Amino acid sequence: MAYDLWYWPGIQGRGEFVRLALEAGGIAYRDRARELGDEEGAAALLADMSSRQGAGRQGRMPFAPPYLASDGLAIAQVANILMFLGERHDLAPSGMADRLWLNQVQLTIADLVSEVHDVHHPVGTGAYYEDQMAEAARAATPFRDERLPKFLDYFTQVIACNDGDWTIDHRWTYVDTSLFQLVQGLRYMFPRRMATLEPDYPDLVRLHDQVARLPGIKAYLASGRRQPFNQDGIFRHYPELDGD
Amino acid sequence: MAYDLWYWPGIQGRGEFVRLALEAGGIAYRDRARELGDEEGAAALLADMSSRQGAGRQGRMPFAPPYLASDGLAIAQVANILMFLGERHDLAPSGMADRLWLNQVQLTIADLVSEVHDVHHPVGTGAYYEDQMAEAARAATPFRDERLPKFLDYFTQVIACNDGDWTIDHRWTYVDTSLFQLVQGLRYMFPRRMATLEPDYPDLVRLHDQVARLPGIKAYLASGRRQPFNQDGIFRHYPELDGD
């Protein structure tokens, strides 16, 4: 099965959660927009999205990237894509209770990612950060002080539910690669705040380090395929939004 | 199987998407916090949540309500709960492509619900609307003008993908009851804007009306179990945030 991953070129963004699961699982894919470069890739992505619009089952298009296309099927929404990969490539346990639990944790990760985005874009997805800096500064404080520790407490509790070294069972799943990306992104966006908080979350840091050592992830991080974080993605480093 | 639904009493909120699927499906449940009243119910909800914390599989607790508890299992995240109900109670097709498609649409509905919440709470979930009215007014304009029609266009496209009268197949699923709730909530929150937009979305309105006529939904809407919308839920009517 050949996969086409479609996502905005030039950023890790939400697509990175999909890339990490594919890379850790050794699953072949083409990063379609990215391989064309920033401008041509974005145009190709928009063209691919509109080509999927239409009547009948063929018209089951995504609302937004990322999506994974294969055999005429386009699967969108990060948690949905990861659930599919988990089932199809055995990247997750198949029992109902475990499957629902992983999906639940992944959706909570998605909620945090969404809140992270809203910190630098509180009043308009379509407007620039520079046009909403005052609002962003106001949004950042309760996020850093209240929401962030609340989520990190929760993910620590999630890890504590398992007897093994991973989130579930005795092997990595897509939730582990997603928690890795969360820690990476938070360190990039809030280096000061994370320096304060991390000592309180040793289990989360240990999990992050374990994922970094997975052969597929290790190779990916050392390759040109891993793009650096930057000021266009979800996690953005604006020093004025950080704090101890 | 006996279900306990746990959600903040006094509001429809995210819990309503679960209630509607349960009611349409004729599935018995107890609305645990709500049946205790506002104050006692909220305390009981918080107590139930902390009672679920702990080591081992028993500690698989929700990050936030709503959650559906049954046989020691607590399933959280609206889309996850609905997927579970869909599988367990045959409220949705079971083939993989259909299952993923419904989950994808439900997650896109969840994204819109989250954006709706952020309109009246752009800079702090923990702060009052009254303390962020200026930011909310700024957030409301691009939401009404750009985001809302973009989502409604998408849901119209979703409906167009199916040959039958519903979102998928020839029977209602949890996505239909969720689209019903979306229309209801948007009409409450943005009566002026929806009066302008609705004529452009006849398929969505037709679907809404069909759901309202389902026997389980009709009985529910006429019962005391359906709480009215109010200024504490996700959909809130602040006239200053509405516009033609």
Side-chain angles (χ1 to χ4, degrees), chain A residues 16 20 180 184 211-212 216-226:
Chain A
E16 197 67 10
L20 286 167
F180 163 84
Q184 290 263 307
V211 171
I217 295 297
K218 205 170 162 182
Y220 174 59
L221 296 178
S223 77
R225 295 194 301 286
R226 171 74 163 186

Side-chain angles (χ1 to χ4, degrees), chain B residues 105-138:
Chain B
V105 177
Q106 184 64 45
L107 288 172
T108 308
I109 293 171
D111 285 345
L112 175 52
V113 168
S114 176
E115 291 195 24
V116 162
H117 171 268
D118 292 350
V119 165
H120 54 74
H121 273 74
V123 291
T125 303
Y128 289 108
Y129 166 67
E130 286 69 20
D131 294 329
Q132 48 192 304
M133 287 176 72
E135 290 90 346
R138 214 187 139 183

Side-chain angles (χ1 to χ4, degrees), chain A residues 52-64 73-81 83-84 87-88 96-101 103-105 107-109 111 114-115 118 122-128 131-133 135-136 138-140 142 146-147 150-151 153-154 157-158 160-163 167-169, chain B residues 52-64 73-81 83-84 87-88 96-101 103-105 107-109 111 114-115 118 122-128 131-133 135-136 138-140 142 146-147 150-151 153-154 157-158 160-163 167-169:
Chain A
R52 294 178 186 279
Q53 196 163 1
R57 188 169 291 221
Q58 297 310 319
R60 291 183 175 180
M61 68 181 288
F63 178 74
L73 202 66
I75 306 166
Q77 288 279 359
V78 171
N80 195 45
I81 300 170
M83 194 171 61
F84 163 76
E87 288 186 29
R88 179 59 69 100
M96 191 188 70
D98 288 349
R99 218 166 17 93
L100 292 168
W101 171 239
N103 188 45
Q104 177 176 321
V105 177
L107 289 170
T108 309
I109 293 171
D111 285 347
S114 176
E115 291 195 24
D118 292 350
V123 292
T125 303
Y128 289 108
D131 295 328
Q132 47 192 305
M133 286 177 71
E135 290 90 345
R138 212 185 141 185
E146 294 154 35
R147 300 297 288 171
K150 190 177 156 131
F151 275 102
D153 284 348
Y154 179 71
Q157 164 68 20
V158 165
C161 293
N162 191 28
D163 294 332
T167 299
I168 202 167
D169 226 325
Chain B
R52 294 178 186 279
Q53 196 163 0
R57 190 170 288 221
Q58 298 309 318
R60 291 183 177 179
M61 67 181 288
F63 178 73
L73 203 66
I75 306 166
Q77 288 281 357
V78 170
N80 194 46
I81 301 170
M83 193 173 62
F84 163 76
E87 288 185 29
R88 179 59 69 100
M96 192 188 69
D98 288 350
R99 216 164 19 92
L100 291 169
W101 172 240
N103 188 44
Q104 177 176 322
V105 177
L107 288 172
T108 308
I109 293 171
D111 285 345
S114 176
E115 291 195 24
D118 292 350
V123 291
T125 303
Y128 289 108
D131 294 329
Q132 48 192 304
M133 287 176 72
E135 290 90 346
R138 214 187 139 183
E146 295 153 36
R147 299 297 289 171
K150 188 176 159 134
F151 275 103
D153 284 348
Y154 179 72
Q157 163 69 19
V158 164
C161 294
N162 190 28
D163 296 332
T167 299
I168 201 166
D169 226 327

